[in-house]
Amino acid sequence: MPELPEVETIKRQLDVVLKGLRIERVKVINPKCFQGDQKQIEGQKVKKVSRRAKITFIELENGLYLAIHLKLTGQLIFRKKEEKEQKFCDQKEGPFAVCELPNKFTRVIIRFDKGNLFYNDLRMFGWIKIVKSLEEVGGEKLGPEAIDEKEFSFDYLKKVLAKTSRPVKIIIMDQQKIAGIGNIYANEALFKAGILPSRSSSSLKGLEIKKLRESIISVLKEAIEKKGTSDKDEAFRQITGEKGSFQNCLMVYGKAGEDCPGCKGKIKRISLGGRGTFFCEECQN
DNA sequence: TGATATGTTATCTT
DNA sequence: CAAGATAACATATC
């Protein structure tokens, strides 16, 4: 699902494509997904596109932002006006195929002078909000960015983990403590660090904390390079409609019953905090 | 048919 | 009151 690497991929691509374009009209097909008065942004030019945690911000020249959260199944697809041919069509068309746009899951269409930005969202958990600041979408509550090596320091992580005995996986997924990690990368980072997801946070030793931090940073950065994860059923697409490729690099996520890549054992699955949790009992402790 | 998937928040419990 | 746990949100898939 869209976590930091997926949103970063979208942010980078949108910044290139939208910068300087003018919003002509906003068509809200499903009002549940759009908050604010679209007249405030019609006619505005895009200054740049940025990201905080899993939220994308389209910054406009009048100082307003379009804040977008994709939640579980949101997609942002940009199609140039003259681009009739639909690229990156899935062989077998699932609910997340973007061959034809708009489709039945298109909730908002933002028409620019040079193309259309389609917001698709099957489950409609996600949203687009017109805001004046990050605070309006909870920005002040967020912890440091998980890929910010300065802010997300060893000392910071050590301090956060020392405060609680809850499972370490739950803590690293808590956006108020560290921003950007979701279920996929929490599982992957813990495997890479050799730490069981259920381990009490306060029981981690200095060396384990160091390894966990390094694993989080390296997994996220590699996933950004691979342009995110589009697993079997997954909604995530780049703004062209193309899938990401980090699903080919997953070690444990979604692999219950399969061989562990590090030993002879099998990947186990448990539920932690109501989320699927994947690990190897041999390699993680 | 019902269990399952997920990010965030609201709400309940300790 | 805060921390922690859990339900709710929507819907397609197996």
Side-chain angles (χ1 to χ4, degrees):
Chain A
M1 301 293 131
E3 303 179 27
L4 188 151
E6 288 76 28
V7 182
E8 177 67 18
T9 298
I10 286 173
K11 176 243 147 181
R12 289 182 184 183
Q13 298 178 348
L14 277 184
D15 188 58
V16 171
V17 161
L18 293 186
K19 195 174 276 179
L21 298 199
R22 188 181 301 279
I23 296 174
E24 286 181 346
R25 203 172 101 74
V26 181
K27 185 173 181 186
V28 179
I29 297 162
N30 203 305
K32 187 183 182 291
C33 303
F34 192 93
Q35 293 173 39
D37 178 5
Q38 59 253 52
K39 288 194 189 68
Q40 288 184 304
I41 60 167
E42 285 171 350
Q44 289 298 314
K45 266 190 184 173
V46 176
K47 215 153 78 177
K48 65 170 177 171
V49 181
S50 57
R51 177 189 66 75
R52 175 76 171 100
K54 302 171 191 172
I55 305 172
T56 306
F57 293 91
I58 300 176
E59 306 189 22
L60 304 172
E61 284 191 334
N62 64 356
L64 294 175
Y65 301 82
L66 268 176
I68 304 164
H69 201 306
L70 301 170
K71 292 285 179 88
L72 307 185
T73 55
Q75 299 175 319
L76 282 171
I77 309 293
F78 184 80
R79 206 81 98 192
K80 283 186 199 147
K81 277 244 162 76
E82 66 273 17
E83 216 170 57
K84 289 182 198 142
E85 209 173 293
Q86 311 294 2
K87 292 178 186 166
F88 310 118
C89 262
D90 295 329
Q91 293 278 321
K92 53 172 190 182
E93 291 193 24
F96 302 119
V98 291
C99 314
E100 306 247 347
L101 289 173
N103 62 29
K104 70 186 276 205
F105 304 118
T106 301
R107 311 300 181 185
V108 179
I109 303 171
I110 302 175
R111 194 178 86 208
F112 291 85
D113 41 2
K114 291 185 179 145
N116 288 300
L117 183 63
F118 295 90
Y119 175 70
N120 302 337
D121 193 348
L122 184 149
R123 273 164 239 182
M124 292 196 289
F125 285 4
W127 41 255
I128 301 179
K129 297 180 188 180
I130 299 175
V131 298
K132 291 199 235 10
S133 66
L134 299 197
E135 283 67 41
E136 288 179 58
V137 286
E140 84 286 357
K141 290 188 199 151
L142 293 167
E145 287 287 320
I147 49 167
D148 184 333
E149 301 198 25
K150 252 190 195 163
E151 293 276 316
F152 178 43
S153 65
F154 170 81
D155 287 336
Y156 176 81
L157 182 60
K158 187 177 166 192
K159 197 180 74 191
V160 164
L161 294 177
K163 271 191 248 184
T164 176
S165 59
R166 297 169 76 200
V168 62
K169 175 164 178 265
I170 306 234
I171 302 310
I172 63 172
M173 288 175 67
D174 184 337
Q175 303 303 301
Q176 305 196 15
K177 298 187 171 65
I178 308 161
I181 306 168
N183 202 30
I184 295 174
Y185 300 108
N187 281 300
E188 294 298 312
L190 284 162
F191 176 77
K192 193 167 184 181
I195 298 166
L196 285 172
S198 56
R199 273 283 292 284
S200 151
S201 293
S202 54
S203 77
L204 294 209
K205 304 282 175 270
L207 209 60
E208 292 175 313
I209 297 168
K210 182 170 178 284
K211 201 148 186 216
L212 176 59
R213 175 177 169 275
E214 286 166 1
S215 300
I216 287 171
I217 293 171
S218 63
V219 165
L220 292 176
K221 288 196 166 169
E222 199 194 333
I224 292 171
E225 279 175 31
K226 297 269 157 63
K227 300 180 172 27
T229 301
S230 305
D231 214 354
K232 297 161 199 146
D233 272 26
E234 292 223 39
F236 173 68
R237 295 298 145 102
Q238 302 178 48
I239 69 166
T240 51
E242 248 177 311
K243 291 182 178 181
S245 63
F246 195 75
Q247 63 272 20
N248 303 320
C249 307
L250 294 174
M251 298 285 147
V252 292
Y253 178 79
K255 299 198 180 290
E258 295 182 31
D259 293 336
C260 170
C263 71
K264 297 176 262 174
K266 300 262 188 240
I267 301 301
K268 291 234 160 51
R269 181 196 186 280
I270 59 168
S271 182
L272 257 189
R275 296 291 173 252
T277 300
F278 303 87
F279 59 98
C280 170
E281 280 178 321
E282 298 288 326
C283 301
Q284 294 167 261
N285 40 61

